[in-house]
Amino acid sequence: MRLTPEGFAGTELDCWDIFYDAKDRGKVLSGIVTSVVTPKTLKEFYWELRFKEGDGIRGIVPASETGLPSERMMNFFIDQEVNVKIRHIDKKNGIVACTRREVVEEARTSLLNTLQAGEEVPALVRFISRRNVGLDIGGGVIIPVPYTKAAHSKSLPLEAIYKPGQLVTAVVEGIDKENKRIEVGIKDPWENADFSRGDIVSGKIIMIRGRNLFVEVRQGIVGIAGYPVGRKISEGERFPFQVLHYDKAGKKLHMVVFDPERIRGRRKLHARRREGSSQSK
């Protein structure tokens, strides 16, 4: 009979049973990527994972077992949750060797057999680089979408348009079952957008570059406004903006921070001009 410490009511001492059971049954566990480690004994980089099932137990996922299209993508997953299967358990050293690749391959096979070209599917933004947006279209299957397909707001960096964890609508553009490839794009949010000069819209400051504010007025629709004189503005703040110019075909939206006093001043000026014009007749 194994004795537990006095007053101990947790399950930490037998949490290894969870990992042995998952290994034997091929069950999927979730872990948080805590670091990308430069190898000392292994021949490749690897993820180190933290599991909620066992604090202090380290998961190891070699680069070849991440299921990612490229080793260079590993850094983007720091602090993100991934699904893995257990391949080997080293209880003495508190380590479990894991594979994400098997989980992803199973998901990819399922998607290849169910998706159809032209279909729209929800997708999660997992990472953003200068050239790509990495979308999880289901089960951890990551599809990099190039800048040319993802940058619906012209002349803006991808990190100004997308954020990790953001949900977008992906459009299936091609299925290649023989080579196990899926090609997707991101549905253009400008398709159903319509703005007119003078419209007042609520916008969130997502990036400040020099004297320019990059303002998201709807998910995926980012416009540009000048930094207002005499005001302190920070990223993440939300303000009303007034539309100055909208070009749907060019996907351009130019705005100015809405100032009611400025509008009232213009109205008074127009009224005085009309009054002066009527008196001169």
Side-chain angles (χ1 to χ4, degrees):
M1 177 180 178
R2 186 175 67 184
L3 298 177
T4 60
E6 184 179 27
F8 179 79
T11 59
E12 284 85 349
L13 292 184
D14 58 6
C15 65
W16 282 102
D17 293 343
I18 297 174
F19 293 93
Y20 280 112
D21 181 67
K23 179 179 180 296
D24 293 341
R25 296 171 179 266
K27 292 173 59 177
V28 175
L29 294 179
S30 296
I32 302 295
V33 178
T34 59
S35 59
V36 177
V37 182
T38 303
K40 294 179 180 178
T41 56
L42 297 177
K43 296 181 180 179
E44 54 185 332
F45 291 96
Y46 62 87
W47 277 337
E48 192 166 288
L49 308 182
R50 179 182 73 250
F51 297 98
K52 63 180 179 181
E53 290 85 358
D55 190 22
I57 297 176
R58 293 185 300 137
I60 300 298
V61 185
S64 58
E65 295 298 326
T66 61
L68 296 175
S70 169
E71 184 181 276
R72 294 190 298 272
M73 297 180 184
M74 291 176 67
N75 291 332
F76 293 121
F77 284 77
I78 297 293
D79 290 330
Q80 292 202 41
E81 187 174 285
V82 295
N83 294 331
V84 297
K85 289 186 176 182
I86 307 301
R87 298 284 294 272
H88 178 71
I89 296 177
D90 181 356
K91 187 174 181 180
K92 180 179 179 181
N93 293 302
I95 295 174
V96 290
C98 310
T99 176
R100 179 177 175 274
R101 178 182 54 80
E102 289 185 12
V103 178
V104 173
E105 287 180 352
E106 291 173 2
R108 188 183 299 274
T109 298
S110 175
L111 290 171
L112 285 167
N113 291 329
T114 56
L115 291 180
Q116 309 232 345
E119 185 176 353
E120 295 182 0
V121 296
L124 193 72
V125 176
R126 295 300 296 265
F127 67 84
I128 304 102
S129 68
R130 186 168 60 88
R131 298 181 178 180
N132 298 288
V133 175
L135 296 186
D136 184 338
I137 63 170
V141 177
I142 306 297
I143 308 294
V145 180
Y147 181 92
T148 52
K149 291 184 179 180
H152 294 306
S153 293
K154 298 297 184 182
S155 304
L156 298 182
L158 292 176
E159 63 266 25
I161 308 173
Y162 303 100
K163 299 298 177 186
Q166 178 181 338
L167 194 66
V168 299
T169 299
V171 181
V172 180
E173 298 181 342
I175 299 289
D176 184 350
K177 292 186 178 181
E178 184 176 349
N179 295 299
K180 296 184 177 181
R181 292 178 181 173
I182 302 171
E183 185 177 356
V184 303
I186 300 176
K187 187 175 181 179
D188 188 353
W190 294 80
E191 287 181 2
N192 299 318
D194 191 21
F195 302 95
S196 299
R197 180 179 174 84
D199 285 354
I200 309 300
V201 296
S202 175
K204 181 180 179 181
I205 312 298
I206 59 174
M207 183 177 291
I208 301 174
R209 289 293 182 269
R211 304 303 300 176
N212 289 324
L213 306 177
F214 295 97
V215 184
E216 184 178 56
V217 296
R218 294 183 193 171
Q219 182 173 301
I221 299 181
V222 179
I224 299 178
Y227 199 109
V229 177
R231 293 186 64 173
K232 177 65 176 177
I233 290 180
S234 302
E235 292 181 5
E237 290 189 279
R238 181 175 288 277
F239 296 101
F241 290 83
Q242 186 170 29
V243 175
L244 297 179
H245 173 71
Y246 175 59
D247 178 2
K248 184 171 185 176
K251 298 176 183 177
K252 296 178 181 179
L253 177 62
H254 295 164
M255 301 174 291
V256 63
V257 175
F258 176 63
D259 183 355
E261 292 301 323
R262 184 169 145 226
I263 300 298
R264 279 194 286 268
R266 285 185 175 179
R267 287 175 179 171
K268 289 180 180 178
L269 178 60
H270 291 324
R272 284 198 295 268
R273 286 177 176 174
R274 286 195 299 269
E275 184 179 345
S277 176
S278 62
Q279 290 177 354
S280 64
K281 293 181 180 179

